Amino acid sequence: MAKPCALLKPCHLVKPVSATRVPGRYLTHQKGLPTLPVPPLHQTCERYLTALEPIVEVDELKHTTELIEEFQKPGGVGERLQKSLERRAHNTDNWLSEWWVQVAYLDYRLPVVVHSSPGLVLPRVNFNDKQGQIRFAAKLIAGVLDFKTMIDNETLPVEYLGGNPLCMNQYYQVLSSCRIPGLKRDSVVNHAKSSIPPKHITVVHNSQFFVLDVYNSDGSPLDTDQLCVQLEKICSSSKQTNMDPVGILTTLDRDSWGKTYNSLIKGEVDRQTVSVRMSDDMLRSCAAVQMLHGGGSQWNSGNRWFDKTLQFIIGEDGTCGANYEHAPAEGPPIVALIDHVVEYTKKSKITESPVKPLPMPQKLHFNVTPDIKKDIEEAKQKMNTLAQDVDLKVVVFDHFGKNVPKTHKMSPDAFIQVALQLAYYRMYGQSCATYESASLRMFRLGRTDTIRSASTASASFVKAFDDPTKQVDLLDKAVKAHRWYTNMAISGQAIDRHLLGLKMQAMEEKLTMPKVFTDNSYSKALHYLLSTSQVPSKTDCVMCFGPVVPNGYGVCYNPMESHINFAVSSFNTCNETNAAHLAQAVKDALLDMRTLLEQTPRAKL
């Protein structure tokens, strides 16, 4: 599935720009954004064939070329679908977004945990007891409420990329929203849009759920002291550790969960309820496991609600982070919120002021029938199997960061992506279909397109790496090719979403599926053995996610100025993949590429 994307500098928001509401500001901004274009058909067809060159065999490419020529001929099915897509673009705010959320997320029937929802590992916090955990959680909640003030008042600073204003819609989807399982398709509800927006958060402790009102009667948010008191009440009233872990049901495949969910909400109470000394790298990897899936039923997978758009996770040992359900938003809004909250926790001081009496947080009760008990046991077994299957390694590459590529006038992201190509080629002797997320937020309601990092230029570089006479020139070309594709993608001119749109249009018109979409090359192009994402942030954190295919890797990275945080995942059931080996290969590739640049006179670049 699609992964978090970030190709923009994060916006670090520490204090609300204005405490005064600015009604209509958001809508006015949105209306001023351009709509997502439909690229020319011939351009996408030509670029599709170019993208296939490094990843398919010669005979496959020849066959696909013939199919493309037939598809785009004048008066053919491609032209018909293109015109239909252009009409859709004319009549909607964004011709792609609704389809993309549907296909990439809501129709996806594998569990959201590991397969779709990323985890995010924050720097370890210096506390190691229950009181420290409660104090930090209170500060964090206060930081989120501070950020929410900007959302509610429509005073979020508009983000820009290359001088262009970006769509801010995803920020308004992150809080008060939740995914709802269905039998064939899920949905997302956003209660912030209801007539009486929610004033509470949900706190989970020892697999028990509590409603915690976070606003006073005068509408002001609870301060850190008040939140501490309320969290202490929750912890004191949920010391039992043998409760049915209802939250683990959210780790099931979506059809099974949809069926169980319908049983769970039959009771009135339920309907209201539902609508963790090692090396530093080892510690980080263990923390990433907690953020991504909770470690299985014996650890914390039942102490989650994976359908919730944003969950903050705070361990007693100082392990902290988040997990987010991907349908409403990509990585940048999540990271901007988290950067804001982390800064807030550093500045927020607990005062000794007297605390007014507050009502006891409401414990949520689930009607756990014998059938639901069986479903919980099934979810435990399946989650444990999945947890044991995920091989997740977090490593810090501490030799250099963005500083080295920038010294050589190279894009840090492109440099890292070329290193990934070199690492994969050294391990497997071939290039593979590689996905990197590109933000389409320059357009109204924009989500993502794909940067195809495996290019003819990157393939030429990795194949010739042992030939010193060609290396530098080919490295330069590979980095520039990636930068060119990135710019094309964020401008709405990449190939993948356009091809998806043409395919979806054929389905809507109930046409026989064009052969270009049933072709083996198309399947190979979408079988992303490397699913990658750059998620930069001010905070020294890293996001993590699972591979999108059984024999692939998930690679997320946060390039800081003098180091790079990597999270690499694979599945243990695949004998061909090994997360630690790829992580080491990436480190070696980055060091070799730096050596190559340092040994080459600047004039040659």
Side-chain angles (χ1 to χ4, degrees):
M1 283 295 87
K3 293 301 173 196
C5 88
L7 285 168
L8 44 148
K9 292 181 180 176
C11 179
H12 306 307
L13 313 164
V14 178
K15 278 293 163 194
V17 174
S18 166
T20 308
R21 181 167 169 76
V22 187
R25 178 177 180 267
Y26 163 71
L27 280 177
T28 302
H29 165 70
Q30 291 295 108
K31 286 177 182 174
L33 293 170
T35 56
L36 182 67
V38 179
L41 181 63
H42 68 88
Q43 174 184 290
T44 291
C45 289
E46 183 182 320
R47 289 176 176 175
Y48 174 53
L49 292 173
T50 301
L52 290 176
E53 284 179 24
I55 60 173
V56 302
E57 303 299 329
V58 174
D59 57 337
E60 289 177 311
L61 186 60
K62 182 173 180 293
H63 176 66
T64 304
T65 302
E66 293 167 0
L67 294 180
I68 285 288
E69 286 171 357
E70 176 69 20
F71 180 69
Q72 65 174 335
K73 71 180 182 183
V77 67
E79 193 174 274
R80 170 181 171 175
L81 296 173
Q82 177 76 3
K83 286 178 179 174
S84 297
L85 205 52
E86 288 167 354
R87 279 195 299 273
R88 177 182 171 92
H90 181 73
N91 295 322
T92 58
D93 278 340
N94 188 304
W95 62 263
L96 169 64
S97 291
E98 185 181 338
W99 274 345
W100 176 242
V101 173
Q102 174 188 320
V103 170
Y105 303 115
L106 303 182
D107 286 353
Y108 190 63
R109 306 325 285 158
L110 284 177
V112 292
V113 63
V114 174
H115 299 290
S116 176
S117 298
L120 186 140
V121 186
L122 289 171
R124 196 177 183 87
V125 185
N126 188 24
F127 63 76
N128 53 17
D129 61 9
K130 179 59 75 175
Q131 276 305 115
Q133 180 189 29
I134 288 172
R135 278 195 300 273
F136 184 78
K139 288 182 181 181
L140 188 146
I141 294 165
V144 174
L145 295 176
D146 190 59
F147 190 89
K148 187 175 181 292
T149 299
M150 289 188 283
I151 294 174
D152 293 344
N153 291 345
E154 299 185 41
T155 55
L156 270 176
V158 172
E159 293 176 332
Y160 288 81
L161 178 60
N164 297 301
L166 299 179
C167 176
M168 300 297 288
N169 175 65
Q170 291 178 38
Y171 282 98
Y172 295 83
Q173 310 303 321
V174 168
L175 300 176
S176 306
S177 61
C178 190
R179 183 162 167 162
I180 305 295
L183 295 181
K184 290 185 179 177
R185 175 181 294 172
D186 291 1
S187 58
V188 174
V189 294
N190 188 336
H191 295 290
K193 298 173 181 175
S194 63
S195 56
I196 306 175
K199 299 293 183 184
H200 69 273
I201 63 171
T202 305
V203 178
V204 197
H205 182 250
N206 283 335
S207 301
Q208 296 162 69
F209 291 74
F210 293 81
V211 171
L212 172 54
D213 287 326
V214 289
Y215 290 92
N216 290 299
S217 56
D218 64 358
S220 63
L222 298 192
D223 63 26
T224 309
D225 282 342
Q226 291 175 304
L227 289 166
C228 270
V229 169
Q230 296 300 77
L231 291 174
E232 284 169 358
K233 290 178 186 174
I234 286 173
C235 291
S236 297
S237 60
S238 55
K239 290 180 178 176
Q240 318 95 296
T241 57
N242 60 344
M243 307 297 284
D244 288 312
V246 176
I248 206 162
L249 293 169
T250 62
T251 70
L252 285 166
D253 67 90
R254 305 309 295 175
D255 286 337
S256 297
W257 171 216
K259 185 178 177 184
T260 303
Y261 179 86
N262 286 335
S263 302
L264 195 62
I265 64 171
K266 281 179 181 173
E268 192 60 38
V269 174
D270 291 321
R271 187 175 289 111
Q272 295 168 3
T273 295
V274 176
S275 309
V276 117
R277 205 49 234 160
M278 296 183 286
S279 71
D280 286 345
D281 277 355
M282 185 68 78
L283 281 169
R284 292 186 191 98
S285 296
C286 289
V289 163
Q290 285 300 317
M291 304 313 144
L292 185 63
H293 58 68
S297 67
Q298 71 276 32
W299 291 103
N300 293 303
S301 295
N303 203 56
R304 309 277 189 270
W305 194 268
F306 286 104
D307 287 8
K308 187 72 182 78
T309 302
L310 183 57
Q311 301 182 83
F312 284 96
I313 299 159
I314 301 154
E316 248 181 89
D317 62 352
T319 299
C320 298
N323 181 282
Y324 85 93
E325 199 287 304
H326 212 323
E330 266 71 55
I334 304 292
V335 167
L337 189 158
I338 283 170
D339 278 343
H340 179 91
V341 168
V342 169
E343 284 301 307
Y344 188 95
T345 61
K346 291 175 185 174
K347 297 186 176 192
S348 176
K349 302 290 182 188
I350 294 186
T351 62
E352 297 298 322
S353 58
V355 175
K356 296 176 186 175
L358 292 165
M360 178 70 193
Q362 177 196 350
K363 186 172 183 177
L364 300 176
H365 297 280
F366 295 89
N367 182 24
V368 181
T369 64
D371 281 347
I372 289 173
K373 244 187 201 310
K374 280 168 58 180
D375 292 337
I376 288 172
E377 290 308 309
E378 180 192 347
K380 283 182 182 179
Q381 291 171 18
K382 287 182 175 178
M383 184 62 241
N384 292 344
T385 300
L386 180 57
Q388 288 162 14
D389 194 13
V390 177
D391 184 14
L392 179 59
K393 297 287 182 284
V394 174
V395 295
V396 177
F397 178 80
D398 54 10
H399 300 275
F400 62 85
K402 294 183 288 188
N403 51 354
V404 165
K406 287 195 294 188
T407 298
H408 296 277
K409 296 183 169 56
M410 290 181 168
S411 153
D413 181 58
F415 190 83
I416 294 166
Q417 285 287 331
V418 172
L420 278 165
Q421 293 300 308
L422 178 57
Y424 190 90
Y425 186 82
R426 283 173 162 177
M427 286 179 70
Y428 297 100
Q430 61 185 31
S431 297
C432 70
T434 305
Y435 181 105
E436 183 187 4
S437 302
S439 173
L440 290 176
R441 285 178 58 210
M442 282 201 292
F443 305 101
R444 195 182 308 160
L445 303 182
R447 294 295 300 257
T448 65
D449 208 324
T450 306
I451 301 166
R452 289 192 166 268
S453 302
S455 64
T456 50
S458 71
S460 297
F461 167 66
V462 300
K463 288 173 184 173
F465 193 80
D466 293 326
D467 185 343
T469 62
K470 298 178 181 177
Q471 284 180 347
V472 176
D473 182 51
L474 290 173
L475 171 57
D476 191 43
K477 285 179 178 174
V479 168
K480 285 177 177 172
H482 186 274
R483 193 67 218 160
W484 174 83
Y485 203 111
T486 299
N487 290 335
M488 178 183 77
I490 63 177
S491 302
Q493 298 298 318
I495 63 173
D496 281 271
R497 302 300 185 264
H498 186 200
L499 289 171
L500 172 66
L502 295 167
K503 181 182 177 183
M504 294 295 289
Q505 196 62 51
M507 292 168 67
E508 288 224 340
E509 296 183 24
K510 296 183 170 54
L511 300 179
T512 302
M513 188 55 64
K515 290 180 181 177
V516 69
F517 299 119
T518 58
D519 178 35
N520 189 53
S521 292
Y522 190 62
S523 299
K524 197 175 278 191
L526 295 179
H527 191 83
Y528 295 111
L529 293 169
L530 279 177
S531 176
T532 74
S533 187
Q534 174 191 220
V535 184
S537 68
K538 180 181 176 184
T539 307
D540 193 7
C541 63
V542 66
M543 210 170 260
C544 54
F545 47 77
V548 297
V549 294
N551 59 335
Y553 293 97
V555 183
C556 195
Y557 51 95
N558 179 7
M560 308 296 282
E561 192 58 32
S562 57
H563 67 277
I564 308 169
N565 297 329
F566 282 96
V568 182
S569 65
S570 62
F571 290 120
N572 288 316
T573 43
C574 178
N575 294 327
E576 303 157 26
T577 55
N578 184 298
H581 291 177
L582 181 63
Q584 185 60 51
V586 172
K587 285 183 175 182
D588 293 342
L590 285 166
L591 288 171
D592 290 346
M593 285 164 60
R594 180 182 68 173
T595 301
L596 178 62
L597 291 174
E598 288 176 344
Q599 290 176 350
T600 306
R602 286 290 175 88
K604 286 196 177 180
L605 296 178

